[in-house]
Amino acid sequence: MLKVHARNLGAVTVLCLRGRMVDGETAVLSDAVHSQSGVGTVVLDLRQVSTIDARSLGVMLELRQETCARGIDFKLMNVTKLVSDVLERTRLNSVFEVACGLATFSEA
């Protein structure tokens, strides 16, 4: 089961994800991203993601496209080795912007 906890840091919302990002578990992520308004950046903190599948990658791509259309930056942070490997194999590592950490947003 995927759990999402939102942390608002001014114009930045960090969505801390925990669990498995697999088909049938991503609605909570979509809802969390869609509920963001008045922010300039949405960041997915993937530190506690244990599994990710192709459907979840598709959801992340859709969310990135939707947020960008609304003028909101979409970034990833704390990308685990597992997620990094999946992004590299699918060549999506060049699509998603990966932030180094919360310090990146301290002045946002």
Side-chain angles (χ1 to χ4, degrees), residues 17 21 29 33 42-46 52-68 72-79 83-84 86-100:
L17 310 181
M21 286 184 66
L29 172 59
V33 172
V42 171
V43 181
L44 302 187
D45 183 343
L46 304 174
I52 189 166
D53 68 4
R55 178 62 187 132
S56 298
L57 291 174
V59 169
M60 287 175 33
L61 284 169
E62 290 169 11
L63 293 172
R64 179 184 170 275
Q65 183 178 8
E66 291 168 11
T67 55
C68 289
I72 300 172
D73 292 330
F74 187 88
K75 300 180 182 189
L76 309 178
M77 72 180 232
N78 295 323
V79 176
V83 175
S84 179
V86 170
L87 291 174
E88 285 180 30
R89 280 195 305 267
T90 58
R91 300 185 196 273
L92 292 175
N93 56 332
S94 63
V95 173
F96 291 106
E97 183 176 347
V98 178
C100 296

Side-chain angles (χ1 to χ4, degrees), residues 36-53:
Q36 300 307 312
S37 62
V39 299
T41 306
V42 171
V43 181
L44 302 187
D45 183 343
L46 304 174
R47 176 188 338 229
Q48 296 182 343
V49 171
S50 60
T51 304
I52 189 166
D53 68 4

